[in-house]
Amino acid sequence: MKINKFIIALLVIFVTLQSCREEYLNEPTPTDSVSPDVVFGSKEGATAFISGILRRTRGQFTATDAGNVGSVYFARTNKGNDVINNGSWFSFDYENDNREPNYRRTVFSWNFPYHIINQVNAFIDGVENSTAIAPADKNQLLGQAYAMRAFFYFELSLEFQHTYTYDPSLPAPPIYTEPNELEGKPMSTQQEMYAFIVEDLEQAIAIGSTQRIDRSYFGKQVAHAIAARVYQVMGNWSKAAENARAAYGGNVASALSPAVYGSGFDDMDEGVEWLLADPQSADQSSYYFLAPHGFFTRTESAYNNTFINRSFVNTFTETDVRNTFLKTTATDYRQWYTTKFKFAFDADVPLIRTAEMILIEAEALYHSNPAAAHDLLYQLQVNRDPAAVKSTNTGAALLEEILLERRKELYGEMGVEWYDAKRLRRGLPRDPWHRINMANNPLVKDDKRFFLKVPQPEIDANPNIDNSVNDNR
Amino acid sequence: MKVNLRVLSIGVLFFAGHTLMAQKSKSDTVTKTKDIQEVVLVGGIKLDPAVKLGSYTVVSKENFESTPVASIDEVLNGRVAGLTFSTNGGDPGSTNLITIRGVGSLIGTPNPLYVIDGVVVGKGSDNSQVMESWNPLASIDPNSIEKVAVLKDASATALYGARGANGVIVITTKRGKYGQRTRFNISSDMSVQDIAYDKQRYMNAQEFLQWGGQMLVNSGAFTDLTAATNQFALDNNYDGVTNENWQERVQRSSSVVNTYNVSATGGGENTSFRLGASYYQNEPLVLNSNFDRVSVNAAIDHKIEDKLNLGFNANFTNVERKTYDDGGAYRNPWLTNWYIAPIYPAYIDGVYNQNNLGPGNDFFNPLAIQENDFMKGSIKTFVSSLTAEYQPVKNFYVNSLFGVQYQALDEKTYWDPRIGDGLTYNGYILQSRSSAFDWNWNNSVSYRNIINERHDIQAFIGMEYQEHKYYSLGAQVDDLSQPIPYISFGTEYLQPWEDRLKWTQISYYSRFNYSLDKKYSLSAQVRRDGNSTLGQKKYGNFWSVAGSWTLSNENFIPEFFDNLTLRANYGEIGNIPYADQWYVQYNAFPLLTPTSLYAADQATTIAQPGNPDLRWEISKQYNIGLDFGFMNNAVSASVDVYQRKTVDAIYSYTTAPTAGGPDSYFTNVGDILNRGLEATVTIRPINGEFKWIIDGNFAYNKNTVESISNPDQIDLSGVANSMRAIAEGHLLGEYYTYDWAGVDPTTGEGTFWTDASHTEKTTNRTAAERVWQGKTPFPKYTAGLKSEFRYKNFSLSAFFTGQFEYSVHNRWQNYILGDGSTVNNQIVDALYDSWTPTNTTASNPKQLLNNPSNAAGPSTRWMRDGDHIRLKEARLSYSFGALLKSAGVDNLSVYLRGVNLWLYTFDENLNFDPETNSNAAGASWAGKGLYDYTSPIMRSFSFGVSLDF
C-alpha cells in the first residue's frame, strides 16, 4: 500500500524531530572560545585563567598613563616632592589636579581594579564549584585568587577615600564577591572594605602555598606582603610586623641582593628581593605604557619626562648602592635623573620587594620596641651602604629616619611618599624649585586631593549610586 | 523570435489581464482579484481574502518585473501602507532599512522577515565581511516573483512566530500551470540613471579661494579681500589655473542598467513547469564599480491522482560586484568633493597628482584610488524548496516543506602600493570567503472541511525546525613584492580569521479556523518556539486570536455594499531582534578566550560573561480593521488601527564599571509602544473603455519607548555626530541635542539656547543643555498614491509617495560647513551665507581659519525636515494585444518608465535625499535618516519591451 508507506515515513519524521529537540537547541555553542567547564575542568585550565588575569594586570587598559598596576603606582609617585614631571604623561597627577568624575585617572583607577576583580571573582566561583580539581590544588589556586582580590580592593580603598584611620565609617567603593553582576552595587564603608580585605588575606594565608610558577603569581608570601601593607595602613602594628616578617623570611641578609641596584631593576629573577612583579617580554609587553621605566630613563627612547629633586638626591651618600643618580646639562629642576630603572619592552616592573617588608617590620617595631626597630633599620642601611653608620636617633626622629629610608629604598616603585603621607595623615609640601611647586595650595594633612571622586560613568550606570556620592568629596 | 529587443515587460501582463477581466462578469473579476490576494503560507495554510482576518497587503508581479532596482525590497517602497523604506546606500546590493508599523526593537534590524517559497531567508541584513554591506535580497531575481505579501499583524504573522514580530514578507515565485501549452516570454529593459536629488553645491576653485580670503579678512590679518585671497592661494599652493571638479573625475558620465529575461511556462495533465533566466547589468555612477547578476530558476509541480502533490523550486544567482568604501570612509568617492579642494589638479604633466592635494592628502588622489584600488565580491546564492501535500483520507492533509538557502561570498580588497593607504603598507590585500547556509523543515497535518455548505472548518498542527550557519575564513597580507592583487605576492602575513557560527530554532504550531456562512469567522493559533541563542529559558509560548464579521453577507445590509467586513485580532508573538546579525548568537553563554600567552604559559580571560537570563522579547499586538467596497467596487477600501507593544525588549544595557565585565550586556530591559492607523483605498471613477484607477494608501505611526529598567538612563545613539537618543517616555530615536539660536548679528558667532526655556544664549555649545526635539528619523505619516489611465491598449500611470513629520541630518555637516575648522572644500553656503560685517543676517557664523568654536558640532542647526513628496514611478505603455496573433505572437508590449523622477521637499534647507541612511549603524535604527555620503538614490529612465508567444 502506497498510502501506508507515506504515513510511516511521515511518522518517522515527526518522531525523529520530536526526540531530538533539546539536543538541537543546546548544540550551537561558540567554536572559537572555551566554556567555563573546560577552564575549570583541570588545574592546568584554571592556572591558565590566573595567567590570563595576570596578563591583564600589566596590559594596556586605557592610555599610556592608565594602562596597568604600574600606572597606578607611578601616578602616586608623581604626586610627591622627590620626583619632578616635565610635562606630558602623568603631568596632571604631578599637578595633583586629576580627580574629577570624568577624568581619565579617576575612571581608570576605578574601572581597572574592578575589571580584574570581576575576573578573579569568576575564577573563585569556577574553582570552588569545580568537581574536577583536587582539594589541595583548589587551595593552592584559591589562595592566589583571594590574595589578588585583596590586593586590588586595597588599591581601590587607597584611591577613593581618606585613609582608613581618618574615619572608618566613611563610604568606600562597592564590594563584589560574585562575578558578572548585572546591577551595580552600592558603596560600602571603609570598615566593611577593610574587614573584607583582611578576611581574603587571612584565607589566602591559611590555604595558600608559597610554591608558584614565577614571581608574578600571588603565592602565600605575597599574601603576607599585602597583609603587611594593609595592617600598616590600619595601624595594626603587631599584625603588620608578623606578616612583613613572614613575607621576607625574617633574615635580612638573605632577603636582600644589593647588587641588583645598578643593573636597571628590570629582571624579577635577578637576586632575591622581588616578591611580586609584572613581567614583560619583547612580544608580550605594555610597550610605552611601561611605568616607571619608560618615564625615568634618559638613555633609551621613551617618554623620559621625570626628573629627581636635588634635595632628595642629597639624602644619599656616595657609597650607597642606591645612589644611581646622574646629572643632565640643565641647571633647573631637570638637573638630576635616576638610572635605577632601565627601559626596554622586556623590562619587568617591581610591585613588592623584601626591602619594603623589612622597613614595615621596622616601623611596626618602632611602636613597641624602638631599639629592635633601630637595629633592623641599620641592618638594611649597612646592606645598601657598607660605610653606613648607625644613627643616634630615638623617638620621633627614629620614625622619620625609617620613613626616609622607605623613600630612598622605594622611590619610583609604589608611590611611597604619597602612600606614607596619606596613611600617616601628613601634608606633602614641595621644594620651591619644583616645576610646579604648589606654594599656594600645597597638599595638607587629610587633603581631599589624596583621593579621587567617584567616576560619572559609574553614577550614570549604577542605580545604587547617585550624584550625591560626590557631595563634599 | 525577435530576441534582440531591448527590455521591458512590466505591467503588460497585468494590463492584459485587466482588460480581459473587464469583459467578464463581476464575479469573475472578484475571482481574479482573489487569486492575486490569496497567499499560501506554511503547511498549506492560506490567507483567504474572502474571510480576511488579519492585515496584509499583496504586491503583484508587474511591480517587480524588469525593475531597474537591484533588490526586491526597494520595490515595496510606498506600495504598502505602514511600510517605510530607506536605503543604507544606493550602490546596488547595499542593505536597506524597512520598518512595518514602526520599530519594535531597540537593537538589531527593524526589518521584517523574508520568506521565499517557504524558505525562511532572513531579514535582509548584512552577510558581508569586506564590502560595506551585502543585502541577501539582491540575490533574488525580481522577475521570478509572482507576488509579495506583506503580513502586518499578529494573526497574519503568528504562523511565522519567532522572527516575525516585525512583520513578514512572503514572496511567492512564478510557477507553471497544468494543462496549458508552453508559452514563452522574452523581455528587456534599458535604463539610464543619475542622482535623484542632491542640492549640495560645492565651491569651485575661485569660490574656495575667496572663502579662504574672507577667513583671513575675518581674522583681522588682512583688510583687503583680494590681497587675502591671493595670500590664501599662495599658502595653499595654488597653481593659478586649476578648477577641478573632483566628483565628476571619479564618476562615469551616466549610469546604465540593462535587464534581459527569458522564461517558458506550461504543463501537462499531471506536471507543470516554469523555467526562467535573467541577466541584470548595472553600471553605477562611480568609476569602475559594477553589479552583474545572472539568475536561473525553475519550478516544477507534479500531482498523483489529486492525492499527492509534489513541488520543487530552485533559484540560483551569481552576482559579480565591484564596489567601494562609502559612508564614513576617507576613500569614499562620494566624499571626494569635500576632502580635496578644487584648486588641485587630478593630473600633473599627464601623471596622477600625488603631492599637491592639500594638507594631509598626499598620495590620496581619489582618481588614482578609484582607478587602481578595488573592493569586489562574487556572491553565489541558491534558494530551493521541496514541497509535498498528501491527502491520506478525505479532508485530511499532510504537508511537508524542506527549504534550503546557501549563499557563498568571495570578497577581496586591494590597495595598490603606490597610492593612498596602500603606500603606508606597501600594498595590502584582504581576501575573505564566507558562506551562510540556512535550512528549514516544516511538517503539518491538517483537517479541512466544509460541512453542510455552511461550516468551513480548518485545523492545523505542525512543527518546524530551522538551522542557520555562517562560516567565514579570511586572510590578509601587506608589503607586496609586486603590485599584483593576489595573496601570494604579500611578504608579510597579518592575522587571518576563521569563524563558524550557528543557531537553531524549533517551533510547534497549531491553528484553528472556523467560518460560518462566510459571515462569521474565527481563527486561533497557539505556538511554542525555542531558540538556541537565548539563556536558560529557551522556549516561549505565543498565541493569537482573530475574528471577522462580513456584514455585506447579512440581509440587513443594503446591496449597495459589495463588501463590508469588520475584523479584529490580538496576539502575542516572540522576537529575537539580534538573530539576523552574525557574531551575536552566543550572548547567553559565558565565554573565556584562550588567545594569549603569559610568558610561555597559556592565558585565558573572560571574553563575555553571558546572560543566562536572556529571554524572548514579546510583541503584543492588536489590530482592528474594516474593509468595504461599494458601487460595484468603484470604491473599495480598508482601514486598520493597531497597537504593537513590545515587552521585555532586548537591549545592550550599559553596566556599572564596578561590575567589572564588558561595558554592556544584551538583556531584557524595556517596553516599546507602536500605535497607528493605516488606510488603503482603490477608486475607479471611470470604468468604461476609458478607465481611471486610483490606488492610495496612508499610514500614521507613533513609536514610544514606554519604559527602560533604568529610567534615568539616556542612551545617545552610538553613531558619531548622531543627535538621537533612547530614553524612557520619549519617542524611539528622538532627536536630543543642543538648540541652535542662530548667528549673533553683531559678533558673527554662533549661539545656542542654554536650555529649553529659550531665555539665555551661549556661544559655547557644550555649555548648553540638550533638549528633546519631539521628532525622530521615522516619518509619522506616510502616503502613496497611484493614478492610472487606460484606454484601449494604452496605459499611463503615475505613482507618488510621501513621508511627513520626521527629521534627518547630515552626519558630515560640521565638515562640509565647518565654519573654517578644517580647510577642506565646503558647500557654497560657507561663502555666500556666512556672517561678514556686511552680511550680518547670514545663517552661518563668521568663517575663521582653524576656527576653534564648537558651533558646527551637532545641534538643531543641522536638523532638517525630511518631509517630501516623490514621483516614485511614472509609466506609459502600449500593448499590441491580439494584433500580432496571426504572426504567432500572443502579445507584444512596449513601455517607457521613470523612477524617482521628481522630489518636492518642504524644508528649503534640505539639500540631500531624505530617504538615505548611514550604513555606520549596522542594521539598526540608528542609521535611519542620517545622511552619510553613502551612494545616492538614483533617478532612472527606462525603455522596455516584452514579447509573449
Side-chain angles (χ1 to χ4, degrees):
Chain A
M1 282 283 288
K2 235 164 46 177
I3 287 171
N4 284 342
K5 266 192 289 187
F6 288 125
I7 289 177
I8 289 164
L10 285 163
L11 280 175
V12 167
I13 289 162
F14 277 114
V15 171
T16 315
L17 280 177
Q18 186 71 21
S19 61
C20 296
R21 64 179 195 217
E22 289 303 329
E23 191 187 320
Y24 278 132
L25 285 193
N26 290 327
E27 181 202 357
T29 53
T31 49
D32 58 347
S33 301
V34 281
S35 72
D37 303 350
V38 176
V39 170
F40 301 113
S42 69
K43 184 189 176 191
E44 291 69 28
T47 303
F49 193 8
I50 289 247
S51 304
I53 300 170
L54 290 174
R55 194 179 152 114
R56 292 276 171 118
T57 69
R58 62 115 198 257
Q60 298 191 330
F61 197 78
T62 314
T64 306
D65 62 357
N68 44 55
V69 177
S71 324
V72 176
Y73 282 0
F74 198 60
R76 293 173 185 169
T77 295
N78 271 283
K79 291 178 177 183
N81 186 39
D82 293 341
V83 310
I84 303 175
N85 171 287
N86 185 31
S88 177
W89 296 111
F90 293 100
S91 65
F92 294 108
D93 301 295
Y94 171 70
E95 292 165 28
N96 279 284
D97 181 25
N98 208 348
R99 63 188 301 272
E100 292 305 310
N102 275 320
Y103 286 15
R104 186 169 66 240
R105 170 69 53 219
T106 311
V107 172
F108 166 73
S109 294
W110 182 270
N111 290 9
F112 171 66
Y114 276 113
H115 176 80
I116 304 291
I117 286 164
N118 184 50
Q119 305 257 345
V120 174
N121 280 335
F123 177 85
I124 292 172
D125 185 58
V127 171
E128 279 178 348
N129 293 317
S130 168
T131 50
I133 302 174
D137 291 335
K138 274 192 181 182
N139 281 345
Q140 197 252 359
L141 293 164
L142 289 173
Q144 298 179 62
Y146 291 132
M148 287 168 91
R149 191 162 71 179
F151 178 86
F152 284 98
Y153 273 122
F154 178 57
E155 300 302 344
L156 272 171
S157 78
L158 291 175
E159 292 289 331
F160 287 94
Q161 192 45 279
H162 282 294
T163 193
Y164 178 75
T165 54
Y166 175 88
D167 179 359
S169 70
L170 288 176
I175 297 171
Y176 293 77
T177 56
E178 298 289 323
N180 304 331
E181 299 264 9
L182 258 184
E183 185 170 296
K185 290 197 177 298
M187 298 289 279
S188 64
T189 65
Q190 288 281 79
Q191 201 135 28
E192 289 163 353
M193 176 62 88
Y194 276 81
F196 182 71
I197 293 169
V198 165
E199 188 190 325
D200 263 1
L201 288 170
E202 293 300 346
Q203 204 165 352
I205 289 163
I207 64 173
S209 157
T210 56
Q211 297 296 314
R212 54 180 177 167
I213 293 172
D214 65 35
R215 289 180 181 182
S216 68
Y217 288 80
F218 283 61
K220 186 175 176 173
Q221 58 278 61
V222 179
H224 278 301
I226 300 164
R229 281 184 179 176
V230 171
Y231 287 122
Q232 179 191 30
V233 164
M234 296 173 79
N236 185 339
W237 297 113
S238 63
K239 283 278 196 182
E242 176 191 323
N243 279 289
R245 204 172 170 76
Y248 79 82
N251 182 333
V252 172
S254 61
L256 295 173
S257 319
V260 301
Y261 272 94
S263 63
F265 262 64
D266 58 358
D267 182 358
M268 65 177 177
D269 294 323
E270 192 180 2
V272 295
E273 293 196 6
W274 289 30
L275 276 169
L276 184 67
D278 262 348
Q280 320 267 336
S281 58
D283 65 330
Q284 299 171 30
S285 173
S286 56
Y287 301 100
Y288 294 103
F289 287 39
L290 203 163
H293 301 64
F295 301 85
F296 276 128
T297 185
R298 298 210 68 73
T299 45
E300 299 88 26
S301 175
Y303 288 102
N304 318 18
N305 68 342
T306 315
F307 296 85
I308 304 294
N309 187 341
R310 63 175 180 255
S311 64
F312 183 55
V313 173
N314 290 338
T315 63
F316 290 79
T317 59
E318 279 300 319
T319 46
D320 194 325
V321 293
R322 297 170 304 192
N323 189 337
T324 59
F325 304 106
L326 290 176
K327 260 187 174 172
T328 67
T329 55
T331 53
D332 59 4
Y333 65 87
R334 288 168 289 200
Q335 195 174 11
W336 289 97
Y337 70 98
T338 179
T339 61
K340 180 178 177 181
F341 305 98
K342 187 166 180 287
F343 176 75
F345 288 156
D346 62 357
D348 300 343
V349 179
L351 299 178
I352 306 178
R353 286 189 300 116
T354 51
E356 181 189 349
M357 295 299 119
I358 293 164
L359 288 166
I360 289 175
E361 192 192 4
E363 184 184 344
L365 285 175
Y366 162 81
H367 291 280
S368 56
N369 185 352
H374 204 163
D375 286 344
L376 187 58
L377 173 66
Y378 181 65
Q379 283 189 60
L380 176 81
Q381 288 170 331
V382 81
N383 176 280
R384 296 322 198 193
D385 178 3
V389 177
K390 190 175 181 183
S391 78
T392 57
N393 286 332
T394 55
L398 176 59
L399 178 61
E400 293 311 311
E401 188 183 349
I402 293 169
L403 295 176
L404 175 62
E405 205 61 40
R406 281 173 56 81
R407 281 160 57 201
K408 291 165 78 170
E409 186 61 46
L410 300 170
Y411 80 89
E413 297 179 41
M414 43 79 79
V416 60
E417 243 189 316
W418 177 90
Y419 176 87
D420 285 356
K422 178 172 175 126
R423 71 184 170 90
L424 298 171
R425 300 177 58 194
R426 296 171 170 203
L428 197 43
R430 275 181 179 166
D431 292 323
W433 50 82
H434 254 267
R435 179 168 72 86
I436 292 169
N437 62 25
M438 296 173 65
N440 297 323
N441 57 344
L443 280 182
V444 297
K445 177 186 180 187
D446 299 328
D447 202 305
K448 283 181 181 172
R449 286 171 290 177
F450 276 109
F451 60 97
L452 307 169
K453 294 187 180 178
V454 173
Q456 197 62 41
E458 180 69 33
I459 296 168
D460 291 345
N462 188 333
N464 293 309
I465 298 178
D466 63 30
N467 276 308
S468 67
V469 74
N470 282 330
D471 291 350
N472 295 317
R473 185 170 252 266
Chain B
M1 293 189 300
K2 296 177 195 164
V3 181
N4 220 355
L5 295 169
R6 304 219 96 183
V7 183
L8 160 340
S9 84
I10 307 273
V12 173
L13 291 175
F14 186 58
F15 174 45
H18 264 280
T19 314
L20 208 63
M21 281 158 19
Q23 295 162 350
K24 292 192 175 175
S25 68
K26 176 185 156 192
S27 62
D28 279 347
T29 308
V30 171
T31 309
K32 184 75 180 173
T33 310
K34 264 189 197 169
D35 278 353
I36 292 168
Q37 292 288 319
E38 185 176 275
V39 180
V40 178
L41 304 178
V42 296
I45 297 174
K46 290 188 176 83
L47 287 179
D48 181 354
V51 284
K52 194 173 174 186
L53 288 155
S55 175
Y56 62 93
T57 303
V58 179
V59 180
S60 53
K61 61 187 175 188
E62 64 276 5
N63 295 294
F64 297 93
E65 285 165 334
S66 291
T67 173
V69 300
S71 66
I72 52 176
D73 45 355
E74 197 171 338
V75 176
L76 301 174
N77 188 359
R79 291 186 160 93
V80 179
L83 179 149
T84 67
F85 171 94
S86 51
T87 180
N88 296 347
D91 187 38
S94 296
T95 52
N96 298 315
L97 206 115
I98 288 182
T99 61
I100 292 174
R101 297 188 164 179
V103 178
S105 299
L106 296 168
I107 57 159
T109 172
N111 285 1
L113 178 70
Y114 291 86
V115 178
I116 300 176
D117 293 330
V119 186
V120 180
V121 299
K123 297 186 183 177
S125 58
D126 197 0
N127 266 349
S128 68
Q129 288 284 342
V130 176
M131 298 182 293
E132 286 281 355
S133 65
W134 172 251
N135 177 359
L137 298 171
S139 300
I140 306 301
D141 174 14
N143 299 288
S144 66
I145 290 173
E146 177 68 29
K147 61 189 160 195
V148 172
V150 179
L151 314 185
K152 296 191 276 197
D153 69 8
S155 86
T157 63
L159 273 173
Y160 295 93
R163 301 176 78 199
N166 293 339
V168 181
I169 292 188
V170 177
I171 298 166
T172 309
T173 60
K174 293 171 180 167
R175 312 192 75 85
K177 279 196 180 124
Y178 293 114
Q180 184 197 60
R181 79 164 174 87
T182 303
R183 290 180 179 172
F184 296 90
N185 173 269
I186 296 171
S187 65
S188 175
D189 178 289
M190 188 194 72
S191 305
V192 182
Q193 305 195 109
D194 63 1
I195 298 169
Y197 183 82
D198 186 2
K199 289 259 158 69
Q200 303 174 82
R201 187 162 93 64
Y202 280 85
M203 300 191 288
N204 61 28
Q206 185 247 325
E207 288 166 328
F208 179 73
L209 294 171
Q210 196 190 334
W211 171 67
Q214 187 64 53
M215 289 200 290
L216 294 179
V217 170
N218 288 347
S219 67
F222 283 79
T223 50
D224 177 49
L225 182 61
T226 311
T229 303
N230 291 339
Q231 184 62 47
F232 185 75
L234 192 67
D235 291 347
N236 287 281
N237 207 20
Y238 183 47
D239 61 11
V241 293
T242 298
N243 181 18
E244 192 71 85
N245 187 327
W246 279 99
Q247 195 67 61
E248 287 180 4
R249 278 285 184 187
V250 297
Q251 283 180 8
R252 296 182 168 111
S253 55
S254 71
S255 161
V256 177
V257 182
N258 289 309
T259 312
Y260 309 93
N261 307 308
V262 54
S263 67
T265 51
E269 193 188 336
N270 295 322
T271 304
S272 73
F273 75 98
R274 180 183 184 276
L275 301 173
S278 82
Y279 176 54
Y280 173 89
Q281 181 194 36
N282 187 330
E283 286 197 340
L285 268 189
V286 170
L287 215 55
N288 282 334
S289 64
N290 65 44
F291 182 100
D292 269 27
R293 179 179 59 215
V294 175
S295 331
V296 291
N297 41 68
I300 296 168
D301 293 285
H302 181 72
K303 59 182 178 185
I304 302 165
E305 295 169 0
D306 285 331
K307 296 249 177 189
L308 180 63
N309 288 294
L310 298 172
F312 174 70
N313 267 69
N315 302 275
F316 174 81
T317 62
N318 179 47
V319 172
E320 297 293 335
R321 181 185 188 209
K322 210 163 179 184
T323 177
Y324 43 83
D325 293 283
D326 66 6
Y330 199 60
R331 48 170 58 230
N332 175 4
W334 295 107
L335 268 175
T336 302
N337 258 338
W338 167 72
Y339 86 85
I340 307 265
I343 60 170
Y344 305 111
Y347 293 102
I348 293 177
D349 297 334
V351 297
Y352 293 131
N353 169 15
Q354 295 268 56
N355 297 311
N356 184 27
L357 295 163
N361 288 337
D362 278 3
F363 296 99
F364 274 84
N365 183 324
L367 179 64
I369 288 171
Q370 211 53 45
E371 289 189 332
N372 293 282
D373 290 0
F374 64 76
M375 175 187 279
K376 64 183 184 181
S378 166
I379 304 105
K380 292 171 180 61
T381 309
F382 181 70
V383 178
S384 181
S385 61
L386 264 177
T387 55
E389 183 177 75
Y390 179 60
Q391 191 180 355
V393 284
K394 192 163 180 284
N395 297 328
F396 279 91
Y397 299 85
V398 178
N399 283 72
S400 184
L401 179 145
F402 185 83
V404 291
Q405 172 179 235
Y406 179 71
Q407 182 160 81
L409 295 94
D410 175 355
E411 301 167 84
K412 179 178 270 190
T413 284
Y414 171 66
W415 293 350
D416 190 283
R418 294 160 296 198
I419 51 166
D421 294 307
L423 199 70
T424 319
Y425 297 90
N426 190 29
Y428 170 76
I429 298 165
L430 169 58
Q431 168 76 56
S432 146
R433 296 283 178 91
S434 41
S435 62
F437 179 57
D438 311 275
W439 62 268
N440 61 320
W441 193 3
N442 195 322
N443 295 298
S444 66
V445 183
S446 56
Y447 171 78
R448 302 171 215 164
N449 197 6
I450 298 173
I451 300 165
N452 295 338
E453 294 186 344
R454 295 193 67 195
H455 309 277
D456 183 347
I457 297 171
Q458 302 181 6
F460 301 81
I461 181 164
M463 76 164 301
E464 182 183 45
Y465 176 72
Q466 297 180 23
E467 192 168 296
H468 306 270
K469 285 184 194 171
Y470 185 72
Y471 171 63
S472 176
L473 181 69
Q476 34 183 348
V477 297
D478 61 11
D479 209 357
L480 307 186
S481 61
Q482 293 176 65
I484 298 175
Y486 292 94
I487 287 274
S488 19
F489 290 93
T491 62
E492 188 178 38
Y493 299 91
L494 309 172
Q495 183 78 49
W497 75 81
E498 179 181 354
D499 296 303
R500 288 175 189 275
L501 306 162
K502 179 181 175 185
W503 63 279
T504 58
Q505 183 168 302
I506 285 183
S507 306
Y508 305 91
Y509 60 90
S510 63
R511 179 179 173 112
F512 176 76
N513 276 19
Y514 173 72
S515 182
L516 176 66
D517 293 338
K518 298 237 179 224
K519 265 190 232 168
Y520 315 102
S521 301
L522 189 76
S523 168
Q525 308 184 63
V526 178
R527 58 184 299 125
R528 178 170 170 79
D529 296 301
N531 187 294
S532 73
T533 70
L534 294 172
Q536 285 153 359
K537 236 184 134 185
K538 288 184 163 41
Y539 283 90
N541 297 323
F542 308 106
W543 56 279
S544 79
V545 289
S548 76
W549 182 18
T550 308
L551 291 132
S552 47
N553 291 347
E554 299 282 5
N555 293 329
F556 58 84
I557 296 293
E559 278 291 310
F560 171 74
F561 282 100
D562 305 308
N563 176 29
L564 184 62
T565 304
L566 190 61
R567 296 176 272 115
N569 66 62
Y570 177 83
E572 299 190 352
I573 296 178
N575 188 36
I576 309 281
Y578 54 79
D580 285 80
Q581 285 155 278
W582 291 113
Y583 297 99
V584 289
Q585 272 65 51
Y586 305 116
N587 293 295
F589 290 82
L591 292 181
L592 296 116
T593 312
T595 49
S596 58
L597 289 175
Y598 185 69
D601 305 310
Q602 184 67 53
T604 306
T605 50
I606 298 178
Q608 65 180 42
N611 177 9
D613 299 327
L614 193 65
R615 60 186 188 274
W616 287 94
E617 176 176 299
I618 301 169
S619 180
K620 300 182 174 180
Q621 316 177 351
Y622 73 70
N623 186 93
I624 299 169
L626 180 70
D627 303 320
F628 58 92
F630 48 80
M631 293 165 66
N632 284 343
N633 276 324
V635 175
S636 60
S638 291
V639 181
D640 284 276
V641 293
Y642 63 88
Q643 172 172 302
R644 174 153 83 108
K645 182 169 179 173
T646 308
V647 299
D648 286 344
I650 295 175
Y651 194 43
S652 174
Y653 187 79
T654 308
T655 45
T658 46
D663 299 341
S664 56
Y665 293 75
F666 275 173
T667 186
N668 304 73
V669 300
D671 296 345
I672 308 164
L673 186 65
N674 273 285
R675 277 185 175 150
L677 178 146
E678 288 159 4
T680 59
V681 62
T682 301
I683 305 172
R684 297 179 175 87
I686 305 171
N687 200 8
E689 191 172 22
F690 178 80
K691 287 185 198 305
W692 184 16
I693 304 163
I694 300 167
D695 284 307
N697 69 70
F698 167 82
Y700 159 80
N701 171 266
K702 187 176 179 189
N703 199 176
T704 318
V705 179
E706 280 224 309
S707 71
I708 279 193
S709 60
N710 182 358
D712 299 330
Q713 188 172 335
I714 296 174
D715 277 6
L716 288 165
S717 152
V719 180
N721 268 356
S722 179
M723 310 194 264
R724 292 83 61 92
I726 283 180
E728 182 169 306
H730 288 277
L731 299 174
L732 193 148
E734 184 171 339
Y735 275 84
Y736 178 60
T737 190
Y738 308 101
D739 266 340
W740 171 246
V743 178
D744 184 328
T746 53
T747 63
E749 288 186 277
T751 61
F752 299 87
W753 297 111
T754 51
D755 55 38
S757 69
H758 286 203
T759 48
E760 214 176 308
K761 293 179 184 179
T762 172
T763 56
N764 180 6
R765 185 177 60 99
T766 50
E769 278 180 17
R770 290 176 193 268
V771 176
W772 292 102
Q773 303 292 336
K775 288 270 195 82
T776 78
F778 293 93
K780 197 181 266 184
Y781 305 100
T782 58
L785 181 68
K786 185 177 176 186
S787 171
E788 185 175 5
F789 301 104
R790 294 181 191 152
Y791 178 71
K792 294 194 171 167
N793 291 349
F794 284 97
S795 161
L796 176 66
S797 69
F799 173 41
F800 292 88
T801 61
Q803 303 189 346
F804 309 95
E805 278 292 301
Y806 74 113
S807 291
V808 294
H809 72 281
N810 181 339
R811 192 180 175 203
W812 291 78
Q813 57 219 2
N814 50 324
Y815 297 95
I816 63 158
L817 192 48
D819 306 337
S821 52
T822 59
V823 190
N824 287 90
N825 197 16
Q826 306 281 294
I827 56 174
V828 292
D829 302 41
L831 179 62
Y832 300 126
D833 192 16
S834 63
W835 186 94
T836 63
T838 55
N839 182 13
T840 57
T841 57
S843 316
N844 298 297
K846 182 162 74 175
Q847 307 288 297
L848 286 172
L849 199 57
N850 302 320
N851 199 339
S853 158
N854 57 17
S859 76
T860 57
R861 181 181 171 188
W862 308 115
M863 273 176 72
R864 299 286 178 262
D865 292 336
D867 305 36
H868 67 271
I869 294 172
R870 184 161 230 157
L871 176 52
K872 194 83 212 161
E873 186 175 297
R875 192 173 63 204
L876 172 66
S877 68
Y878 180 78
S879 172
F880 290 85
L883 283 177
L884 301 170
K885 211 75 181 174
S886 57
V889 172
D890 292 334
N891 190 20
L892 171 66
S893 53
V894 293
Y895 66 83
L896 289 168
R897 177 180 49 202
V899 172
N900 294 331
L901 290 177
W902 171 80
L903 180 78
Y904 175 77
T905 60
F906 290 80
D907 185 338
E908 59 178 16
N909 292 319
L910 177 66
N911 55 10
F912 53 87
D913 198 310
E915 285 193 285
T916 54
N917 302 328
S918 170
N919 56 18
S924 88
W925 68 268
K928 174 80 178 165
L930 184 61
Y931 181 74
D932 199 11
Y933 291 91
T934 56
S935 316
I937 291 174
M938 304 304 280
R939 161 171 49 204
S940 66
F941 298 92
S942 322
F943 169 69
V945 177
S946 177
L947 177 70
D948 293 283
F949 58 93

